[in-house]
Amino acid sequence: MKTIQAVARYFPENCGGIQTHLSELLPELEALGVESKVVAAQEKPEADTYSYQGVEIYRYPAFPVPKPEPLHGGSGHGGFEYFAQWLKQQKAEIYHQHQWEPKCGLAHLRLAKELGMGTVVSIRLPHPICQRNTLMFEGKTACDGKLDLMRCSQCAGVPKNLPSTMIQALSQVPISVSEKAKGKLGFLALPAYIAERQKGLVEMAKYADRIVAMSQWVYDAIAINGIPEEKLFLLKHGISESLVKTTVSQPRKADGILRIGFLGRWSPTKGIHVLVEAIKCLPTDAPVELIIHGVPQDEPYRQRLMDRIGNDSRIRVANQLKRDDISAALSNYDVLAVPSQWLETGPMVVIEAHANGLPVVGSDLGGVAEKVTHGVDGLLVHPSDPKSWAEAFALLAKDSSLLDKLRQGIKPPRTISMEAADSVTLYQRILAEKSVKTAYQMASSL
């Protein structure tokens, strides 16, 4: 079986979790008889072809860099013809798109479908559904994902006193016109954006043989918008077997200090500020230490937190970790803190922590809540309440037996080979359906 795996960017340039996970998945697919090529955009005016970790990579230009927009590339972008020409030359049976944005979006999926390939789109982020890009209703509570013009417009910033008739009328304005409304009255463009998101989800379902939900909340959010469940496939992440330890992590060190680790981006959505405030809520003699391994992203945010941390000896900002160093770092913690402030399908670090026998204190939200069982292999707390986090840390610092119980409650994690096997099952199912459809069409034409 031959497949095309499509992403918005790829190695060796700086990449995120989607590309990292894909690079780890490809060898597993190959071991199961699936040949893959990666196609990815690049912000250059020309195309490139090269090999990375034994996989052929084709980089098509997305130049000039397209602006973000709700249909996620419905009209193509500068350089799209390079992608089109390359894809037409491939003899692939499956086209699997792992992102949904202008550089890798609707136009790319539509072409693959028109070329007769089996088509798959994986959804890992709230962006295809949520104008706020977080799926947090008014930034405070988890949303069910139902696209509703009135509710979504007001959540995104339209004044609540704006009449529904006005919102409905604004939703009919073309995006090109709405763009001109930005500025002091930028909210006037929001209804049109939300209407386009609704349209984009319908178009995705039209051209994708399957929409892969990488978490249960994604599955539910897509289904609640009327997408047929036969179009959906739940495919949860797995972790490389090389990262799975066969022994439980070591008990707390003799000094009695609860060591709390954090791995993630310097971004408000990752919630480092909540952890900092939680430590500040605790008595100065509380036996806790927070170790932050941050990945650069939002420098003003990082600087504000550095100022807030000051000379507090209980909070240590450590170096950014390389991929190969994560397992060793996790072995030095007693718990991993995952204070996500938005709905995530992962984060993968939760699975990595459990693979290393490390309990997780995480936000009771989205993918974190799906991966952590409260009181069994970790603790779930209110995402944005520092006092709740402080109470959880104080409890673990005081009760070492609870920490031992949580360690013992960790079950073997789902592996990436399991994910690969499920992916192959999905691909085979799509091809079988296409074969039956082709046979039926041929019989009908006789």
Side-chain angles (χ1 to χ4, degrees), residues 131-132 137 148-160 162 167-168 170-171 187 189-195:
Q131 182 64 31
R132 297 178 69 103
F137 183 65
D148 177 87
L149 186 60
M150 281 293 295
R151 183 179 70 155
C152 294
S153 294
Q154 292 175 348
C155 176
V158 172
K160 293 188 178 351
L162 199 69
I167 291 177
Q168 185 65 44
L170 290 170
S171 72
F187 65 84
L190 292 173
Y193 289 158
I194 290 159

Side-chain angles (χ1 to χ4, degrees), residues 276-326:
V276 171
E277 293 305 321
I279 300 299
K280 296 287 186 179
C281 287
L282 293 170
T284 56
D285 60 350
V288 299
E289 181 184 19
L290 171 63
I291 304 99
I292 301 170
H293 290 281
V295 177
Q297 182 176 24
D298 187 333
E299 180 56 25
Y301 173 76
R302 188 194 73 85
Q303 191 55 57
R304 287 195 300 272
L305 285 182
M306 293 299 290
D307 293 342
R308 176 60 176 145
I309 293 169
N311 60 359
D312 194 325
S313 61
R314 299 170 298 173
I315 305 175
R316 178 160 58 90
V317 177
N319 294 330
Q320 176 184 347
L321 293 174
K322 295 180 180 179
R323 180 71 174 158
D324 294 341
D325 297 332
I326 289 178

